[in-house]
């Protein structure tokens, strides 16, 4: 019972995402931070209030955190199929310039 709970917690916090998911998360973070930064600057300048700028910037950072950090399934839609090792010897069967590497 405890092992199952530990495995579920590990799967939840491990954060499996693929390379396309990393690219998507980076795009989301860049867009959200840019838009909220520009919005924060414009509204703070318009109101002449630094607190408005800071709070909107903080809200944008928190929103970015909530969108990017959790391992949502959208970030793992095309996982890589890694090759299984066929022996315990490193470099076995590899040829470089016609020479076997052992």
């Amino acid at each position: 019972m405890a092992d199952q709970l530990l495995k579920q917690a590990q799967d939840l916090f491990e954060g499996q995402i693929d390379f396309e998911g990393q690219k998507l998360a980076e795009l989301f973070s860049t867009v959200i931070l840019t838009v909220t930064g520009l919005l924060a600057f414009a509204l703070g300048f318009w109101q002449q209030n630094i607190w408005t700028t800071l709070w909107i910037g903080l809200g944008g950072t928190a929103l970015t955190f909530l969108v990017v950090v959790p391992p949502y399934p959208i970030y793992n839609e095309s996982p890589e199929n890694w090759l299984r090792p066929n022996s315990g010897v490193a470099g076995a069967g590899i040829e470089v310039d016609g020479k076997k590497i052992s």
Side-chain angles (χ1 to χ4, degrees):
M1 177 77 174
D3 290 337
Q4 290 175 344
L5 290 175
L6 182 61
K7 175 129 177 69
Q8 289 176 349
Q10 184 180 12
D11 289 341
L12 178 66
F13 292 113
E14 194 172 81
Q16 293 289 329
I17 67 172
D18 57 20
F19 295 119
E20 293 299 319
Q22 289 177 356
K23 186 177 177 182
L24 188 62
E26 182 182 356
L27 177 69
F28 285 161
S29 65
T30 302
V31 169
I32 293 171
L33 288 174
T34 301
V35 168
T36 56
L38 292 172
L39 183 67
F41 177 76
L43 287 175
F45 186 76
W46 180 64
Q47 291 183 351
Q48 292 294 303
N49 188 348
I50 190 70
W51 290 109
T52 302
T53 304
L54 293 175
W55 280 108
I56 293 173
L58 180 65
T61 303
L63 177 65
T64 304
F65 179 84
L66 291 174
V67 169
V68 173
V69 172
Y72 295 118
I74 192 172
Y75 296 138
N76 198 16
E77 288 183 345
S78 54
E80 294 291 327
N81 294 323
W82 298 101
L83 297 176
R84 300 255 183 242
N86 55 0
S87 70
V89 178
I94 297 176
E95 285 189 33
V96 176
D97 295 331
K99 297 178 184 176
K100 276 206 167 242
I101 296 177
S102 55

